[in-house]
């Protein structure tokens, strides 16, 4: 099995280097290996091997990947922001083979048709990408099979467990507010309704990440001797001859060394390996711009200030960072412990026993229903003239664009030891589908441990449109929960500090639903809205959906790559990850990363003249 911590001494050159073994990188490597087993491929991943790691393969254990001690997750800290009540936000991303698909929440959602068309790039329209959307998956969900794939490596199913009580309750509540329940919200067109979630979980209850679906089977088979994977090694920079990429320089990740002084000192014992035909950077929207900038590709002024020699002046590198920022609200329920996964986090469930007995509860992410939603015209008007102007411009006539995505998670993500009682607390998640806020991520020096200049940009948009989205979504979500038969109250410290005599005051304990019908709604005062906005600014966080930092667009439009993913002004260098989408998608971005990987592989296979063994299927 050619998976290494140290490359063999005779391996000094390969055909293709993939810098980053994340979600898209594994897809590219797997497809290239299928196309030509004689093609020598090297994947360099900064994190560990994830093969059969319990926190990876067992879906219900995914909250452990949020722990700051997780060896499978990277944590990027942003600048303090007054818009975030003085906080320095932290953005996690995948830090192991499979990247985000190995640690994320396994949510299966696709972008909308207009999302891909908005990229305005030849070969990347929705019509162009449908074959790749289908190629990547074997779909076991609802809806019409013509909209999905049935032979792809990535398994989409309901897993081995779902809480039908919570799922039915959630959907009945949404219907009582006038929303439609769809069989399939992921056909690129359906919108403004809710559905029963499908997940990147196999029918056997195992996570369907890109490493385990595209890479590990080939490595385990022994039939792909030219597919090499090097783990726990950081790519420092790309090596150039003139403006041609010819290899990479890398070092051991000091996180995986016995001496902690190496981490503090920024350990560097660089080695290099050459690429005969292609270098592909696939390190994610946070790390890819850093590799480019350390290589001398980026905004010339930023590079000079960082002490890096300029190879190509590309101002778009690290520019326009965006994320689907998230607000999470906790509710008290009457659900049974095995209708949630809290027991795996707070110690009530014996994880080792559950694994040994192949407990079906391990095969869920505890997310069984979600929706893509839009406000009514009355609700738009209530959010003010600036919001209405933005709505009329960007949403009103684009009927397939959701304003927010909303989901029920049968899991509590806070400190379980301070919960007021033994009830099962769950989370309602609201996140903005198309944020107006933009940030940036740049290096400040040439070394791996030099400080980052990272500003998430969350809630910094003109006229505070993004925060108004969260205000609207909170009110809708709260009305849904108060109509659910399992509703037993609200976790006070997690909700806004509404006045005790306000109609909106937090209700800590309830015997059941407290509202019914579409019109029985809480009236919020100006003071209530101010308290709500303050709480959002104090708590809004990431969805792990970093995107757009090296976008696919002309150079004069701050683009970094062209339609073939070539870095402008550089030969033999491509990007293939979520840094390249020029506009966001109304979905969790994992599916988009899979599509970018599939499309990138197809482009490279054609350019290298390789025989394709499995063409996309319409």
């Amino acid at each position: 099995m050619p998976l290494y911590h140290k490359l063999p001494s005779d391996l000094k050159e390969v055909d293709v280097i993939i810098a980053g073994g994340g979600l898209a990188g594994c897809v590219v490597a797997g497809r290239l290996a299928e196309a030509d087993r004689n093609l020598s491929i090297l994947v360099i991943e900064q994190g560990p091997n994830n093969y059969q790691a319990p926190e990876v393969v067992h879906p219900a254990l995914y909250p452990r990947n949020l722990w700051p001690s997780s060896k499978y997750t990277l944590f990027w800290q942003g600048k303090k922001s007054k818009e975030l009540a003085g906080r320095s936000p932290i953005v996690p991303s995948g830090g192991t083979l499979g990247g985000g698909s190995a640690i994320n929440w396994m949510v299966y959602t696709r972008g909308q048709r207009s999302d891909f068309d908005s990229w305005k790039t030849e070969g990347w329209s929705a019509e162009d990408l449908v074959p790749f959307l289908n190629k990547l998956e074997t779909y076991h969900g609802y809806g019409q099979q013509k909209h999905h794939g049935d032979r792809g490596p990535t398994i989409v199913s309901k897993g081995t467990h779902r809480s039908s009580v919570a799922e039915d309750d959630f959907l009945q509540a949404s219907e009582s507010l006038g929303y439609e329940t769809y069989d399939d919200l992921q056909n690129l067109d359906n919108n403004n309704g809710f559905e029963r979630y499908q997940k990147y979980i196999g029918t056997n209850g195992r996570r369907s990440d890109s490493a385990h679906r595209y890479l590990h089977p080939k490595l385990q088979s022994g039939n792909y001797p030219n597919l090499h994977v090097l783990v726990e090694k950081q790519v420092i920079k790309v090596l150039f001859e003139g403006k041609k990429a010819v290899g990479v320089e890398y070092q051991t990740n000091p996180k995986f060394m016995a001496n902690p002084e190496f981490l503090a000192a920024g350990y560097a014992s660089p080695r290099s390996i050459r690429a005969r035909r292609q270098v592909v950077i696939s390190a994610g929207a946070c790390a890819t711009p850093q590799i480019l900038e350390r290589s001398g590709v980026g905004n010339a002024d930023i590079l000079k200030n960082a002490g890096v020699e300029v190879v190509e002046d590309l101002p778009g590198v690290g520019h326009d960072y965006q994320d689907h920022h998230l607000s999470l609200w906790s509710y008290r329920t009457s659900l049974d412990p095995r209708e949630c996964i809290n027991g795996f986090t707070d110690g009530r469930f014996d994880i080792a026993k559950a694994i040994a007995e192949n407990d079906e509860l391990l095969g869920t992410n505890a997310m069984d229903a979600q929706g893509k939603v839009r406000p009514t015209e009355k609700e738009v008007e209530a959010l003010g003239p600036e919001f209405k102007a933005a709505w009329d411009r960007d949403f009103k006539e684009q009927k397939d664009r959701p304003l927010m995505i909303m989901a029920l998670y049968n899991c509590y993500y806070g400190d379980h030891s301070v919960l007021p009682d033994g009830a099962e607390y769950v989370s309602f998640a609201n996140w903005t589908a198309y944020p107006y806020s933009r940030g940036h991520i740049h290096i400040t020096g040439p070394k791996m441990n030099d400080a980052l200049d990272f500003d998430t940009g969350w809630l910094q948009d003109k006229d505070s449109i993004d925060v108004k989205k969260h205000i609207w979504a909170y009110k809708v979500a709260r009305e849904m929960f108060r109509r659910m038969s399992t509703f037993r109250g609200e976790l006070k410290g997690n909700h806004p500090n509404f006045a005790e005599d306000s109609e909106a005051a937090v209700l800590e304990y309830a015997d059941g639903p407290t509202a019914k019908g579409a019109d029985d709604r809480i009236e919020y005062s100006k003071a209530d809205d101010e308290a709500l906005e303050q709480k959002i600014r104090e708590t809004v966080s990431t969805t792990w959906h970093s995107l757009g930092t090296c976008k696919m667009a002309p150079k004069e439009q701050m683009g970094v790559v062209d339609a073939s993913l070539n870095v402008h002004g550089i030969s033999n260098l491509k990007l293939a990850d979520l840094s390249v989408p020029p506009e966001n998608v109304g979905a969790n971005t994992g599916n988009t990363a899979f599509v970018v990987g599939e499309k990138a592989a197809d482009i490279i296979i054609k350019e290298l003249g390789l025989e394709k063994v499995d063409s996309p299927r319409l």
Side-chain angles (χ1 to χ4, degrees):
M1 182 178 80
L3 189 147
Y4 315 102
H5 290 81
K6 178 182 179 181
L7 288 179
S9 58
D10 60 346
L11 188 61
K12 300 184 183 300
E13 188 175 49
V14 295
D15 291 316
V16 178
I17 294 173
I18 301 173
L23 193 164
C26 288
V27 174
V28 173
R31 291 304 193 190
L32 293 183
E34 291 171 4
D36 186 352
R37 296 190 190 192
N38 294 315
L39 187 76
S40 58
I41 304 160
L42 173 63
V43 178
I44 304 177
E45 167 53 40
Q46 64 81 41
N49 182 15
N50 74 345
Y51 183 66
Q52 295 301 328
E55 298 95 325
V56 173
V57 299
H58 297 295
L61 303 185
Y62 79 88
R64 300 166 77 88
N65 298 320
L66 288 166
W67 292 0
S69 59
S70 172
K71 69 178 181 179
Y72 301 112
T73 306
L74 297 170
F75 297 93
W76 311 98
Q77 185 154 24
K79 291 180 175 181
K80 285 187 176 181
S81 169
K82 63 181 178 63
E83 287 83 6
L84 302 179
R87 292 183 295 130
S88 298
I90 295 175
V91 178
S93 67
T96 183
L97 284 177
S101 69
I103 64 168
N104 66 13
W105 303 10
M106 295 154 285
V107 175
Y108 174 74
T109 55
R110 288 167 155 187
Q112 301 296 98
R113 188 173 303 278
S114 66
D115 295 342
F116 300 116
D117 291 344
S118 75
W119 295 2
K120 295 182 172 59
T121 303
E122 185 177 357
W124 291 83
S125 69
E127 184 177 355
D128 295 320
L129 293 180
V130 163
F132 299 100
L133 285 161
N134 292 346
K135 181 183 181 182
L136 69 89
E137 68 183 28
T138 295
Y139 181 76
H140 294 276
Y142 307 110
Q144 296 181 306
Q145 189 60 51
K146 69 180 182 180
H147 295 308
H148 296 279
D150 59 9
R151 289 182 293 149
T154 307
I155 310 302
V156 178
S157 80
K158 67 180 182 180
T160 54
H161 180 278
R162 63 193 310 142
S163 174
S164 58
V165 173
E167 178 184 307
D168 292 344
D169 204 12
F170 181 85
L171 293 173
Q172 288 167 9
S174 68
E175 289 172 358
S176 74
L177 292 177
Y179 293 103
E180 183 174 350
T181 296
Y182 286 99
D183 286 337
D184 182 11
L185 264 178
Q186 313 311 325
N187 65 2
L188 306 191
D189 298 307
N190 286 341
N191 189 30
N192 203 26
F194 290 80
E195 70 170 351
R196 301 175 192 274
Y197 251 146
Q198 300 301 310
K199 312 156 187 188
Y200 286 112
I201 300 175
T203 54
N204 64 351
R206 298 297 185 265
R207 178 191 288 267
S208 195
D209 66 282
S210 66
H212 280 88
R213 303 309 301 173
Y214 286 81
L215 208 58
H216 287 311
K218 296 177 177 62
L219 297 175
Q220 294 292 317
S221 74
N223 296 325
Y224 295 83
N226 290 312
L227 174 59
H228 309 279
V229 178
L230 179 64
V231 295
E232 299 176 9
K233 300 295 180 286
Q234 299 168 314
V235 173
I236 302 170
K237 62 182 179 181
V238 178
L239 300 175
F240 296 104
E241 290 179 357
K243 293 194 176 186
K244 177 182 178 181
V246 296
V248 300
E249 184 177 85
Y250 67 92
Q251 68 175 30
T252 298
N253 187 339
K255 282 174 56 176
F256 301 100
M257 299 178 69
N259 190 339
E261 291 298 323
F262 287 140
L263 185 61
Y267 171 84
S269 181
R271 286 143 282 173
S272 64
I273 185 165
R274 292 179 64 88
R276 287 183 287 265
R277 306 183 72 176
Q278 188 77 67
V279 175
V280 181
I281 304 178
S282 186
C286 289
T288 286
Q290 296 178 56
I291 294 174
L292 283 175
E293 289 181 341
R294 286 194 299 270
S295 307
V297 179
N299 185 307
D301 291 335
I302 291 171
L303 300 183
K304 290 172 185 175
N305 288 336
V308 175
E309 183 179 350
V310 178
V311 174
E312 180 69 18
D313 181 13
L314 269 183
V317 173
H319 183 69
D320 265 359
Y321 172 88
Q322 54 178 305
D323 189 359
H324 290 140
H325 31 75
L326 165 79
S327 56
L328 274 173
W329 310 98
S330 299
Y331 291 87
R332 187 173 183 268
T333 74
S334 61
L335 292 170
D336 292 334
R338 286 188 59 84
E339 291 172 313
C340 303
I341 59 171
N342 291 321
F344 290 121
T345 300
D346 64 18
R348 283 177 291 157
F349 297 165
D350 185 328
I351 293 175
K353 181 181 178 182
I355 293 173
E357 296 178 352
N358 198 26
D359 187 340
E360 68 171 24
L361 190 58
L362 287 169
T364 182
N365 60 358
M367 303 174 197
D368 295 326
Q370 67 96 30
K372 298 183 177 185
V373 294
R374 290 160 63 93
T376 64
E377 283 300 315
K378 181 180 179 181
E379 290 169 327
V380 169
E381 293 280 354
L383 289 166
E386 295 87 1
F387 186 92
K388 186 178 188 308
W391 173 265
D392 289 348
R393 182 185 66 240
D394 299 325
F395 290 91
K396 186 173 183 177
E397 299 304 322
Q398 288 75 41
K399 304 295 186 183
D400 72 337
R401 297 190 94 201
L403 184 73
M404 298 289 286
I405 296 180
M406 306 170 70
L408 172 65
Y409 299 165
N410 291 331
C411 180
Y412 174 63
Y413 297 98
D415 183 354
H416 289 253
S417 70
V418 299
L419 289 174
D421 55 40
E424 294 297 329
Y425 285 80
V426 302
S427 304
F428 205 120
N430 304 324
W431 46 271
T432 181
Y434 308 98
Y436 289 107
S437 307
R438 295 291 185 273
H440 64 257
I441 187 165
H442 296 296
I443 64 169
T444 62
K447 298 179 182 178
M448 293 291 302
N449 70 327
D450 285 324
L452 275 181
D453 173 14
F454 180 29
D455 185 350
T456 65
W458 299 341
L459 307 186
Q460 294 178 23
D461 60 301
K462 182 183 178 184
D463 297 322
S464 296
I465 304 301
D466 283 346
V467 79
K468 292 173 184 175
K469 297 175 188 176
H470 282 281
I471 289 171
W472 170 77
Y474 172 83
K475 295 176 181 179
V476 173
R478 200 177 186 201
E479 294 297 344
M480 284 181 61
F481 233 104
R482 288 188 167 210
R483 284 161 173 77
M484 291 173 61
S485 65
T486 52
F487 175 71
R488 292 297 182 271
E490 300 163 335
L491 183 60
K492 187 170 185 179
N494 175 257
H495 285 259
N497 188 25
F498 299 126
E500 292 293 334
D501 60 353
S502 168
E503 183 179 339
V506 173
L507 181 65
E508 292 187 76
Y509 299 98
D511 296 326
T514 59
K516 60 183 180 180
D519 299 324
D520 181 13
R521 303 200 185 200
I522 296 169
E523 290 288 336
Y524 291 82
S525 68
K526 181 180 179 182
D528 293 332
D529 282 344
E530 290 171 352
L532 177 49
E533 177 173 346
Q534 180 64 23
K535 191 66 174 181
I536 289 167
R537 293 190 182 278
E538 291 172 353
T539 59
V540 73
S541 62
T542 178
T543 51
W544 311 36
H545 297 172
S546 299
L547 178 142
T549 50
C550 297
K551 65 184 179 183
M552 182 167 50
K555 181 176 179 179
E556 57 272 17
Q557 297 176 17
M558 300 295 282
V560 176
V561 297
D562 64 17
S564 295
L565 303 177
N566 300 306
V567 175
H568 293 309
I570 302 291
S571 62
N572 281 29
L573 180 60
K574 293 184 186 289
L575 308 184
D577 56 31
L578 286 177
S579 69
V580 303
E583 299 291 343
N584 223 315
V585 294
N588 297 69
T589 52
N591 182 266
T592 303
F594 273 112
V595 170
V596 169
E598 289 280 10
K599 176 72 173 179
D602 187 70
I603 290 170
I604 295 168
I605 286 168
K606 289 175 179 176
E607 289 185 356
L608 296 184
L610 308 178
E611 180 182 357
K612 236 185 324 184
V613 298
D614 184 21
S615 298
R617 186 172 50 81
L618 288 169

